Amino acid sequence: MCGIVGIVGSQPVSERLVDALKRLEYRGYDSAGVATIKDGELHRRRAEGKLVNLEGKLREEPLAGTIGIAHTRWATHGAPTERNAHPHFTDGVAVVHNGIIENFAELKAELASAGAEFQTETDTEVVAQLLASFRREGMGRREAMHAMLKRVSGAYALAVLFEDDPSTIMAARNGPPLAIGHGEGEMFLGSDAIALAPFTNEITYLVDGDWAVIGRASVHIFDIDGNLVTRPRQISMAAAYMIDKGNHRHFMEKEIHEQPEVISHALGHYVNFIENRVLPVSGVIDFAKVPSLAISACGTAYLAGLIGKYWFERYARLPVEIDVASEFRYREIPLSPQSAALFISQSGETADTLASLRYCKEHGLKIGAVVNTRESTIARESDAVFPILAGPEIGVASTKAFTCQLAVLASLAIAAGRARGTLGEEEEQAMVKSLAEMPRLMSRVLNSIQPKIEFLSRELAKCRDVLYLGRGTSFPLAMEGALKLKEISYIHAEGYAAGELKHGPIALIDENMPVIVIAPHDRFFDKTVSNMQEVAARGGRIILITDEKGAAATTLDTMHTIVLPNVDEIVAPMIFSLPVQLLAYHTAVFMGTDVDQPRNLAKSVTVE
Ligand code: M6R
């Protein structure tokens, strides 16, 4: 989703602004732009497509100036053209925006009837037009900013330059995140701390309703009523992470291969490996007492939550209400204030997940956040934070965040089982032992299945549709496999509960339809094999992902079998994720798509 950066500097800023935009590329975008003030005048360069196009323009026509704002745009209102790219200029005002101004149509009509001439199809331009009109009425810059914020509604992170003030950036936040970076005689603004990492690690996050006046050596933050407020400065960890691909072709490949290490790191936070026990969950969420749990999330995080539901219900006998956040937030679910709710999000900024969290908070539930970004809004608004410790995930397709989310949910479900007396000590120890072995098994799998996966991916790359099947926790994993494949290869894919096959999707089966069956040798194995028989009987091409026991037990003449080591049920979803991720990755590589930044997708989805 859109990325914002700003620098009130003492040195030229345009190159640094573009470098900072590069660190926001992972969020997804389709055009970009930068504006500076030089000799009392606003100047800008904008370009469709990737940042390389903007860099080309800046090489041809460099931008001078020691103050500037810049933007990567993920189009919502208006096509991703240069004309619609930010910054938008109106009468000495420059604006960049992340979010959606929901009342833009009404404001646009009002401004147009007063003579404003709009140059773009965007919702954002109303912000620049409103500011310019308030200035024409004689308002000062701060007064105009405050008046504009009182008129707009919706979600926004905004950065504004006024041509007649070359030493100040104004910023505002309501929804999408915005961080102010404190430097030495320079100040910075960014959509996240990763963008600002090379400049500073001292960060102040604006909270919803805040707006700020940022000078070279000062920042003043106001609430929506115009009262001066204080927000804490914190030290960001973002600078500690190396954001590069190492020896890998793509961030996604690197992140898949990082999983043994990050999972081990994540588990270390929740598990005592000496005693093979989970660490009890202390704090506001008391699993022993809650009557039920609500879980909500989007995309891959939702599918991790669905696997978590199987675990909480089975091991802790704790009923779980789960839904995708965009439905959860509007479903008017009757919730008990004695219950707890878990929100799962890699970015910690997903708008629908945040709205669901606030809904549960209003209903008095205790809130837990399973997040990767500990400084995120979702983390900050939660009563308890369960970090997944995956490190920055840059590839749009979530991989290591998914398996780390699963590792954390597995640990929490075991902790809940222990607290509720539904898991005995021996059972707990056996499960923790399996979790402890997982990083080693993951490395083994990553080192052994690559040739087979590459061979199969070449075949998949020729297909139009792919079906994934699974039972139990392999069902959400089947959906995750389909999601991964479609988002980076653009091949149509569906994930189904294997038992549901005969209720509809079996009609699709023919010799052209690969069916990827995820079937560890667990208590569902025989049933899944029966479903495979149904596919085989209709000429379907099967790729079976199973373990050694499963491979030995099936006599079916499958098209291909990917054989993994035998693993306990609790770790199967994490281990079986690896072939699923690699199949999607290599298929996309063979097809030549933009693996890390697939078309139309954003890493951090901060609008509804
Ligand atoms: O940052 P979040 O975990 O809240 O993001 C949720 C989804 O947008 C995300 O998982 C998305 O589905 C991924 N692109 C899937 O690979």
Side-chain angles (χ1 to χ4, degrees):
M1 212 119 282
C2 307
I4 289 178
V5 286
I7 304 179
V8 193
S10 52
Q11 304 292 320
V13 290
S14 84
E15 232 173 82
R16 288 189 290 163
L17 286 168
V18 175
D19 280 347
L21 284 184
K22 284 183 188 164
R23 287 188 294 280
L24 292 175
E25 273 194 297
Y26 74 95
R27 298 162 69 93
Y29 68 104
D30 31 44
S31 61
V34 52
T36 58
I37 303 177
K38 173 74 180 153
D39 299 330
E41 259 183 57
L42 279 169
H43 301 271
R44 71 178 164 187
R45 304 284 178 268
R46 299 180 295 170
E48 250 178 75
K50 296 294 178 193
L51 282 174
V52 63
N53 301 344
L54 180 65
E55 286 182 300
K57 292 207 166 181
L58 284 164
R59 257 195 310 278
E60 279 166 26
E61 281 186 280
L63 266 187
T66 57
I67 183 167
I69 54 177
H71 188 259
T72 44
R73 173 173 187 251
W74 186 81
T76 59
H77 296 55
T81 56
E82 181 176 333
R83 194 162 60 98
N84 287 330
H86 303 205
H88 295 303
F89 279 10
T90 307
D91 293 343
V93 180
V95 173
V96 296
H97 167 222
N98 174 14
I100 294 175
I101 304 296
E102 283 169 3
N103 59 342
F104 86 98
E106 166 198 327
L107 291 172
K108 192 168 178 174
E110 181 187 315
L111 286 157
S113 68
E117 282 180 20
F118 281 81
Q119 299 152 35
T120 75
E121 296 141 13
T122 66
D123 54 327
T124 305
E125 197 185 342
V126 296
V127 174
Q129 292 277 3
L130 264 180
L131 286 168
S133 81
F134 289 141
R135 292 303 307 279
R136 281 194 299 271
E137 285 170 20
M139 286 188 199
R141 291 179 291 269
R142 285 189 194 197
E143 203 187 346
M145 184 77 181
H146 192 202
M148 176 277 293
L149 291 172
K150 292 248 175 201
R151 291 297 319 274
V152 295
S153 63
Y156 51 79
L158 290 166
V160 176
L161 283 179
F162 289 98
E163 195 167 56
D164 55 354
D165 183 2
S167 53
T168 307
I169 293 177
M170 294 209 196
R173 178 201 175 167
N174 191 43
L178 209 48
I180 294 168
H182 304 263
E184 299 274 321
E186 295 193 306
M187 296 288 274
F188 307 91
L189 183 70
S191 291
D192 64 28
I194 294 178
L196 304 183
F199 308 138
T200 180
N201 65 350
E202 272 192 53
I203 301 290
T204 299
Y205 287 96
L206 296 183
V207 305
D208 281 353
D210 281 357
W211 58 286
V213 179
I214 307 163
R216 267 186 190 90
S218 67
V219 54
H220 295 100
I221 304 177
F222 304 91
D223 65 16
I224 193 62
D225 297 319
N227 304 310
L228 200 59
V229 291
T230 313
R231 304 291 175 219
R233 269 195 204 198
Q234 37 186 283
I235 301 299
S236 160
M237 291 302 290
Y241 295 111
M242 286 282 290
I243 317 271
D244 69 34
K245 292 184 204 145
N247 293 327
H248 295 276
R249 282 169 292 180
H250 300 98
F251 280 109
M252 182 178 177
E253 186 185 42
K254 175 178 176 240
E255 287 155 7
I256 289 173
H257 287 271
E258 276 173 357
Q259 288 176 104
E261 192 189 332
V262 291
I263 283 254
S264 149
H265 187 52
L267 284 171
H269 202 81
Y270 296 91
V271 160
N272 175 340
F273 290 122
I274 311 229
E275 292 172 14
N276 284 323
R277 306 293 301 265
V278 286
L279 301 171
V281 175
S282 54
V284 288
I285 297 183
D286 185 349
F287 281 123
K289 297 211 178 99
V290 292
S292 62
L293 193 60
I295 299 183
S296 188
C298 299
T300 288
Y302 162 72
L303 296 170
L306 213 46
I307 293 176
K309 171 186 165 79
Y310 281 82
W311 287 334
F312 279 108
E313 293 186 338
R314 180 162 181 216
Y315 301 125
R317 311 303 301 152
L318 182 57
V320 174
E321 166 75 58
I322 178 164
D323 210 340
V324 289
S326 52
E327 292 299 317
F328 188 103
R329 62 184 292 190
Y330 294 117
R331 206 149 58 82
E332 300 186 16
I333 308 168
L335 294 167
S336 149
Q338 278 77 47
S339 294
L342 283 184
F343 298 90
I344 308 167
S345 175
Q346 188 287 126
S347 61
E349 301 294 348
T350 301
D352 284 319
T353 310
L354 182 58
S356 302
L357 181 157
R358 289 175 178 161
Y359 176 85
C360 286
K361 222 172 179 181
E362 273 166 29
H363 287 76
L365 281 79
K366 292 283 176 282
I367 309 294
V370 178
V371 287
N372 199 22
T373 315
R374 287 164 95 164
E375 298 148 2
S376 60
T377 313
I378 288 178
R380 287 202 305 274
E381 295 196 13
S382 296
D383 301 309
V385 177
F386 303 107
I388 64 163
L389 302 158
E393 190 180 65
I394 304 298
V396 161
S398 187
T399 52
K400 63 175 181 170
F402 177 63
T403 48
C404 286
Q405 284 159 354
L406 291 178
V408 172
L409 290 168
S411 307
L412 293 178
I414 298 172
R418 177 177 171 173
R420 297 166 74 81
T422 52
L423 269 185
E425 188 174 328
E426 273 180 32
E427 232 177 324
E428 178 189 340
Q429 285 180 324
M431 288 164 104
V432 173
K433 240 175 149 176
S434 302
L435 289 175
E437 280 171 15
M438 197 164 52
R440 184 183 55 79
L441 282 175
M442 283 186 137
S443 298
R444 195 172 128 199
V445 169
L446 287 169
N447 290 331
S448 62
I449 59 172
Q450 203 84 357
K452 182 99 190 192
I453 294 277
E454 287 187 28
F455 169 80
L456 292 172
S457 300
R458 238 179 244 282
E459 296 301 306
L460 285 183
K462 297 176 201 152
C463 299
R464 214 189 51 182
D465 309 283
V466 178
L467 194 61
Y468 287 73
L469 298 178
R471 278 175 185 262
T473 53
S474 298
F475 162 44
L477 189 55
M479 290 198 273
E480 169 61 6
L483 176 64
K484 218 82 305 168
L485 186 71
K486 68 183 123 187
E487 71 178 331
I488 58 169
S489 73
Y490 318 142
I491 293 172
H492 169 242
E494 299 290 343
Y496 257 90
E500 241 338 76
L501 182 72
K502 52 192 158 305
H503 299 287
I506 200 162
L508 299 170
I509 304 294
D510 63 16
E511 59 286 355
N512 298 317
M513 169 74 107
V515 181
I516 299 179
V517 183
I518 304 170
H521 194 268
D522 56 15
R523 60 210 160 99
F524 308 110
F525 182 75
D526 292 339
K527 291 187 189 303
T528 310
V529 169
S530 302
N531 301 131
M532 270 171 31
Q533 296 277 12
E534 293 156 9
V535 173
R538 286 156 183 87
R541 299 154 63 190
I542 296 165
I543 297 174
L544 170 63
I545 307 178
T546 187
D547 48 29
E548 286 151 3
K549 279 191 206 154
T554 176
T555 50
L556 195 73
D557 191 13
T558 55
M559 185 174 100
H560 287 289
T561 309
I562 298 171
V563 186
L564 305 179
N566 295 324
V567 290
D568 285 345
E569 237 177 287
I570 187 90
V571 295
M574 283 78 101
I575 302 291
F576 278 66
S577 290
L578 302 175
V580 159
Q581 295 168 350
L582 285 168
L583 274 174
Y585 172 73
H586 286 287
T587 304
V589 170
F590 284 128
M591 296 181 76
T593 59
D594 188 346
V595 172
D596 284 333
Q597 288 164 39
R599 69 184 182 205
N600 306 337
L601 288 177
K603 183 71 180 163
S604 178
V605 183
T606 49
V607 295
E608 265 198 69

